[in-house]
Amino acid sequence: MTITGNTSIYAHIGFPIHHTRAAALFNGLFEDLGIDVAVVPFEIEPDQLSATIPAFRAWRNLVGVGVTIPHKETMLSLVDELTPMAKLCGATNVIRRDPDGRLIGGQCDGTGLVRSLTGAGHQVSGAKVLLSGAGGTARPVAFALADAGVGRLEIANRTREKAEGIVAEIRAAYPDRDVRVHEDADEFDIVVNTTSLGMNSDDPLPVEAKVLRPGVVVADAVMAPPETALLKLAASRGAIPHPGILMLRSQFEVILDFLGLTSK
Ligand SMILES: NC(=O)c1ccc[n+]([C@@H]2O[C@H](COP(=O)([O-])OP(=O)(O)OC[C@H]3O[C@@H](n4cnc5c(N)ncnc54)[C@H](OP(=O)(O)O)[C@@H]3O)[C@@H](O)[C@H]2O)c1
């Protein structure tokens, strides 16, 4: 890509930031679409985060900011406005800079996953979903699944109280949804791993193998390795693997919409 005086910037901010996959992927996708935006990684220490905000407001060719660990929660109180999903999730992972300098915090982790599933032809509305994990990714995924009209959502997590906490929050926000802590059911339409299990070769599976039935969609948020042990086992049992890169690619589409870049 060629950066010129007309190029707009999308800053990707975290600490540390060297591990980010979004910068390389998003730069390629912007280039493929002919959108003159360059993604630049920004490594900012937590105690310096608030100092970056006036610069973001003043920076006229900044279209937005991707926000990653550990800034997703702190950023909530620093921006000027939040989308309903960012408020619900208590975390923002994308900021739009409006032309007047106002910063709007959004949330696309979960909507990215839902969009990737529906884009691949898997119906989320009415589906029975097992969500493994109750960390920073699980929360927006759970809210987005609830928002998309999931039929039943069961959440399993090593630390059960965290799963109970998300269940209670979703019940409060979506009283009509059937949301519960996972016990021993094994028939699901969609299984989603949002734990970090699968990143190391000796990790245990993030779900019980009995849920990996033929035809079940098995989505893994883990992107490294691209094909986790969970996805391999799912495929070998006739389930449908849905790798983490699809979630990230769909987040890009959600971000394009949010930044108003879709039609450019
Ligand atoms: N594909 C994408 O677009 C995308 C987007 C965001 C994140 N991700 C990936 O999602 C994964 C999780 O990220 P995160 O930010 O949500 O992490 P996080 O907030 O640290 O949460 C980690 C989760 O994994 C569980 N866990 C960790 N070690 C475990 C173990 N040994 N046994 C059982 N459970 C364990 C934790 O359970 P406890 O609550 O019991 O600690 C928690 O539920 C990472 O691989 C990240 O790269 C992918």
Side-chain angles (χ1 to χ4, degrees), residues 11-76:
H12 197 66
I13 184 172
F15 184 81
I17 198 67
H18 62 85
H19 62 280
T20 183
R21 279 161 204 277
L25 179 72
F26 287 10
N27 271 322
L29 293 172
F30 275 127
E31 190 167 15
D32 290 349
L33 291 172
I35 298 176
D36 194 6
V37 171
V39 183
V40 182
F42 266 50
E43 187 165 86
I44 305 289
E45 291 196 27
D47 65 356
Q48 295 297 315
L49 186 62
S50 59
T52 64
I53 300 300
F56 288 156
R57 289 200 180 97
W59 190 353
R60 289 175 60 91
N61 69 335
L62 182 77
V63 284
V65 183
V67 184
T68 189
I69 293 169
H71 302 317
K72 292 183 185 183
E73 289 84 16
T74 326
M75 196 60 100
L76 284 177

Side-chain angles (χ1 to χ4, degrees), residues 69 72 109 132-138 156-160 162 193-197 199 203-204 220-224 243-249 251:
I69 293 169
K72 292 183 185 183
D109 269 334
S132 177
T137 307
N157 192 49
R158 174 178 62 178
T159 311
R160 186 183 167 95
K162 284 167 68 179
N193 173 41
T194 62
T195 74
S196 39
L197 292 177
M199 299 178 79
D203 280 346
D220 203 335
V222 171
M223 284 179 290
I245 192 68
L246 299 181
M247 174 178 171
L248 185 61
R249 273 180 190 272
Q251 281 192 51

